[in-house]
Amino acid sequence: MNFEKMLEYQRIDQEILALENEVNKSKERANLALAKNNIAKSTEIINGLKAEATNLLANYNAVQEKIEALKAELDEYEGVLDGVQDVAETDYHIRKVSAINDSISALEKEVALGSKRIDEINEKYKKTWDQGVKDTALYKSAKADYDKLVESFRPQVAEKVAARDALKAEIPEKMFAAYTALRNGKKLPAFVPFDASKSSGCCPRCGMEVANDTLARLKSAGDFAECPNCRRILFIPEK
């Protein structure tokens, strides 16, 4: 079988991937990813602060309602002791009033702590927001640099894509399907020249020993077989 068109397609495809990798590993891409990550962190912090503030406000309102209820209950004891003659009853009411006052004091401390935390949240929110504004500006700048880099590669990539795709119609469907499966599995090159006299019976790509039944199918120019280990297509080149 003639692998010329498939090998040409593979060669161009690898060149396209190399260009894409060059862009992906560029400082422009790294700067863009960093700026995007910083924005995501700021957004996460702000959302967390908002959620905490919402919970604190809800708790503040609930605590305030409890305080008002306790104060109302305390008002009911006003003047009660004046008419009480029994010592035990007097002691009961005193303890009851004391417990209510303790509850009110505890709740007021909780309110004070909540208010302090709200102030801390507001301060952190402002700092995070200001940092987010800076990060957004850096992101826009990084995005512009990255887009400029991508644009500089576009003509070269487009030319290679056109040359590669023009070959597809000349490649047998089953051969192309095998190539696509290997490419999707990040196994490139997918079609690998095999020279039994130099390979020591091993796959030139994965380095694993090729079984005898596979080697038996790789004798003459045009022969091909799948490596049982990495699944790449091994073939004997045409002379």
Side-chain angles (χ1 to χ4, degrees):
M1 181 179 288
N2 192 320
F3 291 88
E4 182 181 349
K5 297 298 182 182
M6 184 69 260
L7 293 176
E8 180 66 6
Y9 185 100
Q10 177 174 262
R11 181 187 66 78
I12 298 173
D13 201 22
Q14 287 184 282
E15 290 177 354
I16 293 170
L17 289 174
L19 291 173
E20 292 174 352
N21 286 334
E22 189 174 343
V23 171
N24 290 335
K25 293 179 180 180
S26 66
K27 70 179 189 322
E28 288 84 355
R29 177 64 179 267
N31 290 339
L32 179 62
L34 177 61
K36 188 175 182 179
N37 187 55
N38 288 339
I39 290 176
K41 286 181 179 179
S42 294
T43 301
E44 183 179 358
I45 291 172
I46 284 177
N47 288 338
L49 292 173
K50 284 181 177 179
E52 186 180 357
T54 298
N55 291 334
L56 283 171
L57 182 58
N59 184 63
Y60 174 86
N61 292 333
V63 170
Q64 283 293 102
E65 289 179 4
K66 289 180 182 179
I67 291 174
E68 294 304 318
L70 288 170
K71 286 182 176 180
E73 186 178 349
L74 193 61
D75 289 342
E76 294 177 4
Y77 282 92
E78 187 174 350
V80 169
L81 293 177
D82 295 339
V84 176
Q85 301 297 322
D86 184 85
V87 174
E89 187 179 356
T90 300
D91 182 61
Y92 167 78
H93 288 304
I94 290 174
R95 283 188 285 107
K96 186 69 174 177
V97 169
S98 178
I100 293 173
N101 280 323
D102 288 345
S103 296
I104 291 174
S105 295
L107 290 172
E108 287 177 340
K109 286 180 181 179
E110 186 176 342
V111 168
L113 288 174
S115 297
K116 181 181 178 182
R117 180 56 187 157
I118 286 290
D119 290 340
E120 292 172 351
I121 288 174
N122 286 334
E123 183 177 354
K124 187 173 183 180
Y125 185 97
K126 185 179 184 305
K127 288 181 179 179
T128 305
W129 181 268
D130 290 344
Q131 184 60 49
V133 171
K134 294 177 182 178
D135 290 337
T136 299
L138 289 174
Y139 173 82
K140 290 180 178 179
S141 176
K143 182 68 165 56
D145 290 341
Y146 176 73
D147 288 345
K148 184 178 180 180
L149 176 68
V150 171
E151 193 60 34
S152 70
F153 276 83
R154 196 181 303 281
Q156 189 177 359
V157 171
E159 181 181 351
K160 290 184 179 296
V161 168
R164 179 198 65 183
D165 292 351
L167 294 166
K168 183 177 178 181
E170 302 180 62
I171 300 172
E173 187 175 335
K174 288 186 177 180
M175 184 184 291
F176 188 78
Y179 175 81
T180 300
L182 288 164
R183 186 188 193 280
N184 291 342
K186 300 186 184 302
K187 293 181 178 180
L188 288 181
F191 285 76
V192 183
F194 184 81
D195 186 340
S197 65
K198 298 179 180 179
S199 67
S200 301
C202 295
C203 172
R205 290 304 300 179
C206 70
M208 299 296 289
E209 187 175 353
V210 178
N212 288 332
D213 60 336
T214 301
L215 290 175
R217 297 162 59 190
L218 295 167
K219 296 295 185 181
S220 304
D223 288 350
F224 66 95
E226 184 181 86
C227 171
N229 302 297
C230 68
R231 321 313 295 184
R232 288 179 171 87
I233 307 301
L234 307 178
F235 69 94
I236 307 295
E238 300 284 347
K239 299 297 183 181

